[in-house]
Amino acid sequence: MSFRTTPSVDYVEDVSPGSGSLPPRAWYASSDARSLSLNGSWRFRLSATAGAEDDSFAEEGYDAGNWAEVTVPGHWVLQGDGAFGSPIYTNHLYPFPVDPPYVPTENPTGDHLRVFDLPSDWPSDGGAVLRFDGVESCARVWLNGTELGEFKGSRLAHEFAVGELLKPGSNVLAVRVHQWSAGSYLEDQDQWWLPGIFRDVTLLHRPSGGAGDFFVHASYDHTTGEGTLRVDSDVDGRVSVPALDIDVATGEPVTVAVQPWTAETPKLYDGVLVTDGERVPLRIGFRTVVLEDGLIKVNGKAVLFKGVNRHEWHPEHGRALDLETMREDVLLMKRHNLNAVRTSHYPPHPAFLDLCDEYGLWVIDECDLETHGFTEQDWRDNPVDDDRWTPALLDRAARMVERDKNHPSIVFWSLGNEAGTGRGLTAMAEWIHGRDPERLVHYEGDWNCRDTDVYSRMYAFHDEVEKIGQQLDGGTHKRRELPFIQCEYAHAMGNGPGGLADYQELFEKYERLQGAFVWEWIDHGVRHAELGYAYGGDFGEELHDGNFVCDGLVFPDRTPSPGLIEYKKVIEPVRIEGDGANGIVHVTNKQDFADLSALAFEWSCQVDGETVESGSLAVPALAPGESAEVKLPEPPVDGRGGERQWTVRALLADDTSWAAKGHVVAWGQFAVGARPLPSFPATDRPVPDGGRIALQAGFDARTGALLTIGGVEVGATPRLDVWRAPTDNDDGAEWQTDTRYGTLWRTLGLHRMRHRLVSVEAGDDALTVRTRVAPAAREVGLDTVYRWTSDGERLRLTVSVTPEGDWTVPLPRLGVRFGLAEADRVEWFGGGPGEAYPDTGKASMVGRWQSTVDGLQTPYVRPQENGARADVRWVELGGLRIEGDPEFWFTARRWTTEQLDAARHRTDLTAGDTVWVNLDHGQHGIGSQSCGPGPLPQYFLKAEPAEFSFVFSTTR
């Protein structure tokens, strides 16, 4: 009897970080030393288990001609049209048994082969280093049949010395990658599990006397305006900065007058580190980060973070991002007034940090560590409190800090995310504080601030945030003396987040509150031929968290969502307010460092939403925190007696690296005077027999249903509607059972309201229809009266609603819904151009707007309530003009709310023959309860008596 010998795979379940790789060092994009990218097409073989194949594929001469091919960087599960397995999405649950450090025998393993020749002019002297910038989750490496070692730490760089193994031609690089390993227990981030070599693979020539590790120390003294530069280097050399007339030996400090680096003024000086064998370009930013007076200060000033969390994501390539995609992210952030990024929850590709240096973003650089799944067992066996794992934790901390330490944009090192507490985290903090005392340390899970320099929380509600600002939050004495940030808040999942402006008001009111980071930047939808974008569960995962992975400020294709447009408005660096009646504008510079000299201001005056006059506005170059009152010109005379308002904009005065001249940075809008009351029918006409009234409006005499208006066919009569397709934030988080209004609304039956006709009364001056609207199985209801009148030219509907019974939940919406047989173009006077709800409407600008019905839809990855335009005075569509008293929300779509509610993906929605129009008197707020607080009480739509009117006329 014979037995097959299984190759040793003990390293997969070893808690150590690996073996054979070189110590971590500073990353730099280029030098005059040669390099060879090994990105591209690799031969690939997938096995079901870690030990299914022997190591012979790593030997020279192995024939892999029948293997498949994959692209590196890349994830194999996103290639091969499903032949190589599928992505898995979980928020915090491990998709394998929690039995550390063991992983399942079913462990997809990808063998990768790349045969390469050295360039003909590759130097023959010195050595060489093989560099992997990111491999998930465990890799074993061979070159020309010699094993180099193995490593874990998926989003961290690993290098191997390979100079003696290289030959001019047919070098065989073999990499075995395991999806699961002991390292997977440390990488339970809220994201897709995606195995593969997903960042660059590079061969680097290391010339004799070449640069090794180096640390650029560039501090700034705000009292003298001088910067001090010292570059510590493993290899002696010289540092020159021509613009500053600096030429000094490594390790030698030099102090000169400089312009400091900040996120608002990202001044970088070009320098070079020269050793005997290499020239390394440097980009140096002078700045000093301290904890002083209980505040985070940079260059002597407290900063306010207006930030976002950013996972790396591309809808086709996963975490394999190219430079231009990274640049697109940074440019979008800058154009939407963001000033900070938390690299949740791992160090990003280092090129992204170069971009943050260049364009100006504060960075919290976060370690590749999360053990969230251990919360299911009350953190028992958590690796961060188990000494056996501490070397791996320290390795991850060191690889982050050493790689990224020369970036001026980084002001915080973060130990990780949602990993509980324990001795390992303390060891990481102590090592980081010792290695780099010039930056601060962050970790949200350390509520007592034992190891950290800031009190950090996620999803604290508004009332608690205010108490923290007032230092009434309790906790240890150390914590009360520290600044506060929300490293995650305002969960940007689906329609939302709501309540941003209310948070920002608190951040600006209390000095201790130094800002927050929205969760998160981008929806992690995977492009899918049939579904549009796929999310959790669409690949048959046995455990998944649905569309919780789609919670970004931009859609998967990086189109800004309404949430990002709202955030831009809320965090504007210039506040523009006005006293329209007296023609005065109040301008405040909300920046921390820059004055307003880079901005130009312009005013315009609108009548009924149309601009009638405009001009430039002279605003002083206010210093940070300063305010000024500026006089506007006399408003133009308009004989129409329409609604008049001022709009003042702050624009870029010149082109910048991140936006063109004329880019709108901030704006304010305010009325010239009191808004004229709408002109509605004053003299009603009697309703003739037979159910017909003036304007050729046709009614069903038996039911009172409206059939036509002036020849415009009404596909469904206007009737009371209180239902909306619940948003992700309506549905709420599973742990907030008492306020998950989507569930409460369904339980009450608001999605299946029944309409009982009580009476139809054709009086001398009106047609009155009385109904009761109520859900089955419940005694609560809404007595609803529709009163139709006409002045001969227009048709007026007045709706009166009186709640009956004990209403314990707010209403989703309150208004009427009706159908039009045809409609395409839409024009309105009111808020726009995008959607807005009671707590998401700061970015809604009053004006005259146009769209198509299809253009009104917001393409959330999971369909839900969307597209409402707020503060509408009138709207025209389908041959009708509809005016409101008071202002109203309107929505129009080619499917019913019920169809929208039933859809799981955008491709589930099919346009019908009817355009469904909602005219809403009220909408419930949005909040961010998909992982945070629900709407604040002032944004609740309570079930209480209401009356509102709409006036219909034809445009044909």
Side-chain angles (χ1 to χ4, degrees):
M1 182 179 293
S2 63
F3 296 91
R4 181 176 182 270
T5 302
T6 301
S8 174
V9 292
D10 292 346
Y11 64 92
V12 174
E13 297 176 332
D14 191 330
V15 299
S16 75
S19 64
S21 58
L22 296 169
R25 65 185 179 113
W27 185 90
Y28 46 92
S30 63
S31 78
D32 64 350
R34 290 296 304 273
S35 66
L36 176 66
S37 172
L38 298 178
N39 296 345
S41 180
W42 289 49
R43 289 292 183 175
F44 177 76
R45 175 181 66 187
L46 182 64
S47 303
T49 65
E53 301 288 347
D54 61 29
D55 304 338
S56 60
F57 81 105
E59 298 173 1
E60 296 180 81
Y62 183 87
D63 183 7
N66 62 344
W67 285 22
E69 293 187 16
V70 294
T71 298
V72 171
H75 305 279
W76 70 67
V77 294
L78 295 181
Q79 304 183 56
D81 294 325
F84 306 142
S86 300
I88 299 170
Y89 168 60
T90 59
N91 167 29
H92 79 278
L93 295 175
Y94 289 105
F96 48 79
V98 180
D99 183 24
Y102 304 110
V103 295
T105 301
E106 298 82 12
N107 187 357
T109 294
D111 289 335
H112 299 69
L113 271 179
R114 175 79 153 84
V115 178
F116 65 93
D117 297 333
L118 292 178
S120 58
D121 58 348
W122 187 266
S124 58
D125 66 323
V129 165
L130 178 65
R131 182 183 184 91
F132 295 87
D133 282 311
V135 183
E136 183 176 335
S137 73
C138 174
R140 188 178 179 190
V141 186
W142 297 261
L143 181 63
N144 292 331
T146 297
E147 182 173 351
L148 304 180
E150 80 284 339
F151 62 87
K152 307 177 188 75
S154 297
R155 293 106 202 169
L156 299 161
H158 295 82
E159 293 182 332
F160 297 91
V162 297
E164 296 181 354
L165 299 175
L166 289 172
K167 54 185 183 179
S170 299
N171 292 277
V172 178
L173 176 57
V175 186
R176 174 164 286 168
V177 180
H178 308 284
Q179 174 155 24
W180 310 123
S181 69
S184 302
Y185 284 99
L186 304 179
E187 297 172 4
D188 190 26
Q189 293 97 339
D190 173 13
Q191 61 182 352
W192 295 95
W193 299 87
L194 298 172
I197 305 172
F198 68 94
R199 288 187 186 156
D200 306 292
V201 182
T202 312
L203 183 68
L204 303 168
H205 176 239
R206 303 311 305 136
S208 176
D213 189 27
F214 59 91
F215 197 160
V216 177
H217 302 272
S219 61
Y220 178 72
D221 186 338
H222 65 280
T223 64
T224 65
E226 294 179 321
T228 299
L229 175 66
R230 187 186 81 247
V231 178
D232 296 333
S233 175
D234 288 353
V235 178
D236 290 342
R238 296 193 68 81
V239 175
S240 64
V241 185
L244 297 175
D245 198 25
I246 290 175
D247 186 354
V248 295
T250 54
E252 180 179 332
V254 59
T255 299
V256 294
V258 299
Q259 297 178 44
W261 189 98
T262 75
E264 296 166 8
T265 57
K267 175 62 178 179
L268 292 173
Y269 290 92
D270 289 324
V272 62
L273 166 64
V274 181
T275 67
D276 287 343
E278 189 173 12
R279 296 174 60 89
V280 179
L282 305 176
R283 304 212 76 192
I284 302 166
F286 291 87
R287 57 104 185 97
T288 295
V289 183
V290 297
L291 182 64
E292 183 179 80
D293 303 323
L295 297 172
I296 305 159
K297 292 185 179 180
V298 180
N299 302 339
K301 291 187 176 183
V303 296
L304 184 62
F305 297 113
K306 303 169 183 178
V308 68
N309 288 272
R310 175 187 176 269
H311 271 300
E312 293 176 309
W313 186 252
H314 188 282
E316 296 173 356
H317 309 303
R319 286 186 285 281
L321 266 62
D322 60 88
L323 179 61
E324 287 312 305
T325 299
M326 292 183 252
R327 190 185 307 275
E328 184 179 358
D329 280 346
V330 171
L331 293 177
L332 278 170
M333 291 174 187
K334 293 291 291 186
R335 291 168 185 166
H336 289 85
N337 295 331
L338 279 79
N339 72 358
V341 179
R342 175 177 174 231
T343 70
S344 52
H345 299 293
Y346 47 83
H349 192 293
F352 178 78
L353 299 174
D354 286 342
L355 296 169
C356 293
D357 295 341
E358 177 183 351
Y359 293 102
L361 290 168
W362 307 116
V363 174
I364 297 179
D365 197 6
E366 194 149 270
C367 196
D368 191 7
L369 173 61
E370 180 167 332
T371 63
H372 199 176
F374 283 90
T375 190
E376 294 295 314
Q377 54 205 61
D378 198 26
W379 298 107
R380 187 174 60 256
D381 297 327
N382 185 12
V384 305
D385 201 27
D386 184 334
D387 292 338
R388 295 176 301 167
W389 293 80
T390 299
L393 303 182
L394 289 172
D395 179 76
R396 289 171 183 247
R399 289 188 181 278
M400 171 182 69
V401 172
E402 301 296 6
R403 191 196 75 167
D404 297 341
K405 57 183 176 284
N406 295 325
H407 292 281
S409 56
I410 297 173
V411 292
F412 270 99
W413 301 116
S414 180
L415 304 181
N417 183 70
E418 292 178 320
T421 58
R423 299 184 297 274
L425 288 167
T426 299
M428 293 170 70
E430 290 176 348
W431 185 90
I432 292 174
H433 275 122
R435 177 60 174 143
D436 184 19
E438 299 170 353
R439 291 182 176 91
L440 306 180
V441 172
H442 166 272
Y443 177 63
E444 183 273 339
D446 183 13
W447 284 19
N448 290 324
C449 302
R450 179 182 64 182
D451 302 320
T452 59
D453 300 311
V454 62
Y455 178 29
S456 177
R457 291 279 302 281
M458 54 176 68
Y459 308 110
F461 288 18
H462 296 76
D463 55 351
E464 183 182 6
V465 170
E466 180 154 34
K467 289 180 180 178
I468 293 171
Q470 297 168 334
Q471 294 186 306
L472 299 176
D473 53 304
T476 62
H477 174 75
K478 178 184 177 183
R479 191 180 88 179
R480 294 196 304 273
E481 296 299 313
L482 291 178
F484 175 80
I485 64 171
Q486 286 227 72
C487 66
E488 294 180 22
Y489 88 124
H491 199 247
M493 185 176 178
N495 188 332
L500 283 169
D502 307 276
Y503 271 122
Q504 194 64 26
E505 183 179 344
L506 295 172
F507 300 152
E508 296 180 7
K509 181 177 181 180
Y510 298 104
E511 189 178 47
R512 185 190 184 194
L513 308 179
Q514 292 198 249
F517 296 76
V518 168
W519 186 267
E520 64 155 306
W521 175 241
I522 188 169
D523 285 342
H524 295 200
V526 177
R527 197 180 301 278
H528 193 283
E530 298 175 359
L531 303 176
Y533 291 108
Y535 50 77
D538 290 333
F539 297 99
E541 304 101 304
E542 56 186 19
L543 289 175
H544 67 85
D545 287 281
N547 68 310
F548 201 70
V549 76
C550 295
D551 45 14
L553 290 172
V554 297
F555 297 126
D557 64 357
R558 284 178 163 75
T559 300
S561 76
L564 181 57
I565 306 302
E566 176 78 354
Y567 196 31
K568 175 185 178 180
K569 175 62 180 170
V570 166
I571 59 176
E572 286 175 336
V574 183
R575 179 173 295 160
I576 301 172
E577 300 171 313
D579 178 356
N582 294 307
I584 294 175
V585 181
H586 304 275
V587 179
T588 302
N589 182 358
K590 305 298 293 183
Q591 298 178 107
D592 295 322
F593 297 93
D595 63 22
L596 298 188
S597 59
L599 301 179
F601 290 79
E602 66 177 25
W603 62 268
S604 60
C605 188
Q606 291 80 38
V607 176
D608 288 340
E610 293 185 296
T611 296
V612 295
E613 198 167 328
S614 62
S616 60
L617 188 67
V619 175
L622 301 171
E626 286 188 345
S627 299
E629 289 188 352
V630 181
K631 184 68 176 176
L632 288 164
E634 290 297 317
V637 176
D638 183 82
R640 292 174 291 175
E643 180 179 349
R644 295 190 298 169
Q645 63 194 10
W646 296 105
T647 302
V648 176
R649 294 176 173 86
L651 318 170
L652 287 180
D654 296 292
D655 291 346
T656 70
S657 63
W658 50 269
K661 177 182 178 179
H663 168 78
V664 178
V665 173
W667 59 271
Q669 198 172 57
F670 34 93
V672 174
R675 179 193 168 202
L677 294 176
S679 174
F680 288 131
T683 304
D684 292 329
R685 300 287 183 86
V687 181
D689 293 339
R692 301 192 65 78
I693 62 176
L695 191 62
Q696 298 300 310
F699 288 84
D700 185 303
R702 182 177 61 85
T703 64
L706 179 66
L707 304 177
T708 59
I709 301 177
V712 176
E713 182 180 349
V714 178
T717 189
R719 67 176 187 172
L720 191 74
D721 190 19
V722 299
W723 181 241
R724 73 183 187 196
T727 67
D728 292 312
N729 289 307
D730 289 337
D731 285 335
E734 61 184 13
W735 57 87
Q736 299 177 345
T737 55
D738 57 337
T739 55
R740 297 178 67 189
Y741 288 111
T743 299
L744 295 174
W745 293 336
R746 291 185 195 278
T747 300
L748 184 59
L750 299 188
H751 60 307
R752 47 176 175 78
M753 299 290 274
R754 296 292 180 260
H755 298 250
R756 177 168 64 85
L757 180 62
V758 176
S759 65
V760 178
E761 304 166 7
D764 292 338
D765 60 354
L767 175 66
T768 302
V769 181
R770 302 182 186 276
T771 67
R772 186 174 189 272
V773 183
R778 307 293 176 183
E779 62 178 354
V780 298
L782 300 168
D783 281 346
T784 306
V785 179
Y786 309 92
R787 187 172 186 268
W788 295 95
T789 59
S790 175
D791 65 354
E793 296 181 354
R794 295 180 292 175
L795 184 66
R796 178 175 184 175
L797 169 64
T798 300
V799 182
S800 301
V801 180
T802 304
E804 281 189 344
D806 184 16
W807 285 85
T808 59
V809 298
L811 298 173
R813 70 179 343 134
L814 182 66
V816 296
R817 177 170 61 167
F818 67 99
L820 289 175
E822 60 178 84
D824 184 24
R825 301 296 306 177
V826 184
E827 184 174 356
W828 73 97
F829 173 29
E835 71 181 27
Y837 291 83
D839 55 347
T840 66
K842 293 297 181 181
S844 181
M845 178 184 287
V846 174
R848 289 273 291 271
W849 306 104
Q850 294 184 350
S851 176
T852 62
V853 170
D854 293 340
L856 294 174
Q857 316 310 308
T858 304
Y860 295 115
V861 174
R862 185 191 74 81
Q864 55 197 274
E865 166 61 33
N866 74 90
R869 269 54 179 182
D871 302 317
V872 176
R873 283 71 162 158
W874 56 257
V875 59
E876 293 181 353
L877 77 166
L880 292 181
R881 179 184 175 96
I882 306 164
E883 301 169 79
D885 180 19
E887 298 153 359
F888 61 99
W889 279 271
F890 94 87
T891 309
R893 52 178 70 106
R894 299 186 187 278
W895 36 79
T896 66
T897 300
E898 291 74 21
Q899 290 169 329
L900 182 64
D901 187 17
R904 301 275 69 85
H905 295 87
R906 291 276 302 171
T907 52
D908 295 333
L909 295 169
T910 303
D913 296 331
T914 301
V915 171
W916 295 94
V917 181
N918 277 88
L919 310 174
D920 291 317
H921 174 65
Q923 282 269 358
H924 187 60
I926 296 295
S928 64
Q929 195 171 303
S930 50
C931 196
L936 290 168
Q938 61 264 38
Y939 304 119
F940 277 39
L941 179 59
K942 297 178 180 178
E944 54 190 14
E947 184 173 284
F948 47 93
S949 296
F950 302 103
V951 174
F952 299 82
S953 57
T954 60
T955 60
R956 296 174 178 174

